[in-house]
mmCIF file of all heavy atoms in Angstrom:
data_model
loop_
_atom_site.group_PDB
_atom_site.id
_atom_site.type_symbol
_atom_site.label_atom_id
_atom_site.label_comp_id
_atom_site.label_asym_id
_atom_site.label_seq_id
_atom_site.Cartn_x
_atom_site.Cartn_y
_atom_site.Cartn_z
ATOM 1 N N VAL A 309 7.082 123.425 15.132
ATOM 2 C CA VAL A 309 5.867 122.636 14.964
ATOM 3 C C VAL A 309 5.495 121.935 16.274
ATOM 4 O O VAL A 309 6.338 121.328 16.937
ATOM 5 C CB VAL A 309 6.041 121.589 13.846
ATOM 6 C CG1 VAL A 309 4.797 120.706 13.745
ATOM 7 C CG2 VAL A 309 6.299 122.288 12.513
ATOM 8 N N VAL A 310 4.211 122.041 16.619
ATOM 9 C CA VAL A 310 3.647 121.370 17.791
ATOM 10 C C VAL A 310 2.508 120.480 17.310
ATOM 11 O O VAL A 310 1.713 120.889 16.465
ATOM 12 C CB VAL A 310 3.142 122.391 18.827
ATOM 13 C CG1 VAL A 310 2.377 121.695 19.953
ATOM 14 C CG2 VAL A 310 4.303 123.199 19.385
ATOM 15 N N GLU A 311 2.432 119.269 17.829
ATOM 16 C CA GLU A 311 1.385 118.323 17.430
ATOM 17 C C GLU A 311 0.176 118.419 18.346
ATOM 18 O O GLU A 311 0.319 118.479 19.571
ATOM 19 C CB GLU A 311 1.911 116.890 17.447
ATOM 20 C CG GLU A 311 2.298 116.353 16.087
ATOM 21 C CD GLU A 311 1.123 116.156 15.140
ATOM 22 O OE1 GLU A 311 -0.031 116.327 15.577
ATOM 23 O OE2 GLU A 311 1.368 115.836 13.963
ATOM 24 N N GLY A 312 -1.012 118.426 17.726
ATOM 25 C CA GLY A 312 -2.243 118.388 18.508
ATOM 26 C C GLY A 312 -2.827 116.995 18.616
ATOM 27 O O GLY A 312 -3.728 116.749 19.418
ATOM 28 N N ASP A 313 -2.290 116.061 17.827
ATOM 29 C CA ASP A 313 -2.766 114.677 17.841
ATOM 30 C C ASP A 313 -1.882 113.860 18.778
ATOM 31 O O ASP A 313 -0.674 113.730 18.565
ATOM 32 C CB ASP A 313 -2.704 114.106 16.432
ATOM 33 C CG ASP A 313 -3.265 112.691 16.349
ATOM 34 O OD1 ASP A 313 -3.530 112.087 17.403
ATOM 35 O OD2 ASP A 313 -3.427 112.189 15.215
ATOM 36 N N ARG A 314 -2.500 113.284 19.794
ATOM 37 C CA ARG A 314 -1.758 112.562 20.828
ATOM 38 C C ARG A 314 -0.925 111.419 20.260
ATOM 39 O O ARG A 314 0.131 111.077 20.794
ATOM 40 C CB ARG A 314 -2.758 112.026 21.869
ATOM 41 C CG ARG A 314 -2.141 111.155 22.956
ATOM 42 C CD ARG A 314 -1.172 111.978 23.793
ATOM 43 N NE ARG A 314 -0.493 111.144 24.755
ATOM 44 C CZ ARG A 314 0.542 110.351 24.486
ATOM 45 N NH1 ARG A 314 1.014 110.297 23.247
ATOM 46 N NH2 ARG A 314 1.120 109.637 25.417
ATOM 47 N N GLU A 315 -1.353 110.803 19.175
ATOM 48 C CA GLU A 315 -0.638 109.672 18.605
ATOM 49 C C GLU A 315 0.549 110.089 17.740
ATOM 50 O O GLU A 315 1.274 109.234 17.238
ATOM 51 C CB GLU A 315 -1.587 108.811 17.773
ATOM 52 C CG GLU A 315 -2.688 108.152 18.606
ATOM 53 C CD GLU A 315 -3.562 107.239 17.768
ATOM 54 O OE1 GLU A 315 -3.336 107.182 16.535
ATOM 55 O OE2 GLU A 315 -4.453 106.590 18.339
ATOM 56 N N HIS A 316 0.759 111.391 17.575
ATOM 57 C CA HIS A 316 1.837 111.877 16.718
ATOM 58 C C HIS A 316 2.902 112.659 17.474
ATOM 59 O O HIS A 316 3.661 113.422 16.873
ATOM 60 C CB HIS A 316 1.265 112.741 15.586
ATOM 61 C CG HIS A 316 0.632 111.936 14.487
ATOM 62 N ND1 HIS A 316 -0.642 111.441 14.587
ATOM 63 C CD2 HIS A 316 1.109 111.520 13.272
ATOM 64 C CE1 HIS A 316 -0.947 110.775 13.482
ATOM 65 N NE2 HIS A 316 0.093 110.803 12.675
ATOM 66 N N TYR A 317 2.973 112.483 18.778
ATOM 67 C CA TYR A 317 4.095 113.063 19.515
ATOM 68 C C TYR A 317 4.467 112.155 20.677
ATOM 69 O O TYR A 317 3.690 111.288 21.093
ATOM 70 C CB TYR A 317 3.806 114.490 19.988
ATOM 71 C CG TYR A 317 2.739 114.643 21.060
ATOM 72 C CD1 TYR A 317 3.039 114.452 22.404
ATOM 73 C CD2 TYR A 317 1.443 115.019 20.719
ATOM 74 C CE1 TYR A 317 2.065 114.614 23.388
ATOM 75 C CE2 TYR A 317 0.463 115.177 21.684
ATOM 76 C CZ TYR A 317 0.789 114.976 23.022
ATOM 77 O OH TYR A 317 -0.179 115.138 23.988
ATOM 78 N N SER A 318 5.688 112.352 21.186
ATOM 79 C CA SER A 318 6.218 111.490 22.233
ATOM 80 C C SER A 318 5.584 111.822 23.577
ATOM 81 O O SER A 318 5.586 112.981 24.001
ATOM 82 C CB SER A 318 7.742 111.642 22.326
ATOM 83 O OG SER A 318 8.246 110.997 23.471
ATOM 84 N N ALA A 319 5.088 110.796 24.250
ATOM 85 C CA ALA A 319 4.467 111.004 25.556
ATOM 86 C C ALA A 319 5.498 111.406 26.593
ATOM 87 O O ALA A 319 5.158 112.029 27.606
ATOM 88 C CB ALA A 319 3.754 109.722 26.000
ATOM 89 N N PHE A 320 6.769 111.072 26.371
ATOM 90 C CA PHE A 320 7.806 111.344 27.368
ATOM 91 C C PHE A 320 8.412 112.730 27.206
ATOM 92 O O PHE A 320 8.811 113.361 28.176
ATOM 93 C CB PHE A 320 8.912 110.286 27.272
ATOM 94 C CG PHE A 320 8.403 108.889 27.417
ATOM 95 C CD1 PHE A 320 8.295 108.061 26.311
ATOM 96 C CD2 PHE A 320 8.013 108.399 28.647
ATOM 97 C CE1 PHE A 320 7.814 106.760 26.436
ATOM 98 C CE2 PHE A 320 7.528 107.102 28.784
ATOM 99 C CZ PHE A 320 7.434 106.285 27.680
ATOM 100 N N GLN A 321 8.505 113.216 25.955
ATOM 101 C CA GLN A 321 9.150 114.510 25.722
ATOM 102 C C GLN A 321 8.179 115.645 25.434
ATOM 103 O O GLN A 321 8.556 116.795 25.506
ATOM 104 C CB GLN A 321 10.145 114.397 24.561
ATOM 105 C CG GLN A 321 11.483 113.785 24.941
ATOM 106 C CD GLN A 321 11.431 112.277 24.961
ATOM 107 O OE1 GLN A 321 10.616 111.684 24.287
ATOM 108 N NE2 GLN A 321 12.323 111.654 25.723
ATOM 109 N N GLY A 322 6.950 115.364 25.054
ATOM 110 C CA GLY A 322 5.986 116.426 24.845
ATOM 111 C C GLY A 322 5.630 116.659 23.392
ATOM 112 O O GLY A 322 6.217 116.060 22.475
ATOM 113 N N PRO A 323 4.649 117.552 23.131
ATOM 114 C CA PRO A 323 4.106 117.758 21.779
ATOM 115 C C PRO A 323 5.073 118.353 20.759
ATOM 116 O O PRO A 323 4.745 118.395 19.576
ATOM 117 C CB PRO A 323 2.938 118.730 22.025
ATOM 118 C CG PRO A 323 2.572 118.546 23.463
ATOM 119 C CD PRO A 323 3.863 118.265 24.159
ATOM 120 N N ALA A 324 6.248 118.830 21.198
ATOM 121 C CA ALA A 324 7.218 119.361 20.234
ATOM 122 C C ALA A 324 8.207 118.298 19.773
ATOM 123 O O ALA A 324 9.042 118.568 18.906
ATOM 124 C CB ALA A 324 7.977 120.543 20.829
ATOM 125 N N VAL A 325 8.118 117.098 20.342
ATOM 126 C CA VAL A 325 8.941 115.969 19.890
ATOM 127 C C VAL A 325 8.013 115.060 19.089
ATOM 128 O O VAL A 325 7.233 114.290 19.642
ATOM 129 C CB VAL A 325 9.579 115.221 21.079
ATOM 130 C CG1 VAL A 325 10.419 114.057 20.586
ATOM 131 C CG2 VAL A 325 10.441 116.175 21.894
#
Side-chain angles (χ1 to χ4, degrees):
V309 176
V310 172
E311 260 293 354
D313 184 350
R314 175 64 185 79
E315 295 183 357
H316 283 81
Y317 68 83
S318 170
F320 304 105
Q321 280 82 25
V325 180

